[in-house]
Amino acid sequence: MRQVETDSLVIGSGGAGLLAACRAADAGHRVLVLERTPVLGGTTAVSGGMIWVPDSSVMREHGMPDSAEDALRYLELVTEGETERWRLEQYVEVAPRVVDYLHAETPVRLFPIDRPDYHSDWPGARDVGRTLDNVPFPTADRPGLLERIRKGSHFDAVTYDERHRWQIPGRYDHELVARRKAEGVVTVGAALVAGLVAACDDRGVTYQTGVRATGLLVEDGRVVGVRAETADGPVEYRARAGVVLATGGFEWNERLKRAHLGLAGTRPVSPPWNDGDGLLMATALGAALGTMSQAWWVPAVSGQGEEYDGVPMSRHLVGERCLPGSIMVNRHGRRFVNEAVNYNDVTKAFLAFDPTRHERPNLPAWLVFDEAFRRTYPIAGAQPGGPVPGWYTSADTPAGLARLIGVDEQGLTETLAVFNPDAVRGVDTAFGRGTTSHDRYYGDPLHEPNPCLAPLVEPPFHAVRVEPGMLGTKGGLVTDERGRVLRHDDTPVPGLYACGNVTSPVMGPGYPGSGGTLGPALVGGYLCGTALGKEEQR
């Protein structure tokens, strides 16, 4: 079998893996990154690219006060007591250091935005600054870079902050967006990936794409590389210092989801390559697992006929749930949650079990809205005012709509009879929608008295089926303070590191704010690469 040797080996090229590679290369290591797909960037490249970092230098530079004490107070609530205190303390200490490193040592540039924490009314939360957006990244001066990174379909060439500020009609700068596209300027997650790939290029990191790692090589109890399948046949990749697993979660592996989440058939909104490869390789060596029943949940819509990498694509609902003139109902035609709650927690309400009826009454759910809403706001990729998409269900009356989508007619009629007068007054007496700064962030700032509430009164009425989806899974390998993979007795597997969604996250069952996935992933990559750079090259 053909062999390839290097100092440090990184499996996966998302943000976590790229930063690990960058840090190992800082130590003078020859670093090789293996990527299963034809392009670099993983889920990071198609994401919003934001990073949740409390008490950072960029917050202070923009006059946004914060403190480590407040961040810890908030994170203890978010993680529901399921994360050890030292992990929270390490995150709050290291995350700002990662931002400083990116600004000082890489082309990545970040800026704070006025995005509230997901639980904006909790002690220690902040309304501005902890979520960092990416400055648009120009690729023209690095020939070939744009073609090497993954392209997403959820985001245009705008920053996340611009996408929010430009939601008001007339503010969208079409000329700027067109110029960015023509000039190869990338934004959001693609900007983060482009900056990290560029940093790795500058350090001599090499990559091989179309390579799927299938097993870990172990000699004398130490991980020394991986076996992999390539287009030219099997190859052994050997690493003198160690191996970093940054292979993502298992959201595309139906068997693993059924075993650990208790729920198959969910709708991943990530690229269709995260099958749990790193998880399976490490558990074969006795690696410990944590938070395997958790995911980065999102409510998702499918059936639009879109494809990505050859599979049907799902879109997750964000603003559609928060804007005035929509509600979500279950099979009984009843609202069951504050629709404007953050997407991770709102999706948990889909999973509720009714022991009396022995059913999950909120699976599936339906986004219900009227013609005024459809005419005004985009919905799961459908632009406002255009022809009614074929994947909508429409009827002239709420009762008629209920019959078509199979929900209780009386339930939906009674729900609207309560909701509509509330919406006119701007007060959601059932669930309090629109009462927090987080709720209002995605509302319509021009709509009064509540930017999240409007009655559904203009026919025809429409509905879109909504199901549990996920940005990725949360559960995975347990690691120590250096990013080393641990066994069940808390001893490290020599030579093996892990970061990103293949690991059990510091956020436990919670989600602190936008960037709460990528923040821990980058911190994990930073820790792994730093520790790996100190390993003796055997």
Side-chain angles (χ1 to χ4, degrees), residues 218 338 422 433 481:
V218 181
N338 170 4
D422 273 1
R433 176 169 157 185
E481 73 282 357

Side-chain angles (χ1 to χ4, degrees), residues 1-16:
M1 183 182 297
R2 185 165 67 91
Q3 291 188 354
V4 175
E5 292 193 354
T6 190
D7 297 329
S8 293
L9 188 63
V10 177
I11 316 301
S13 68

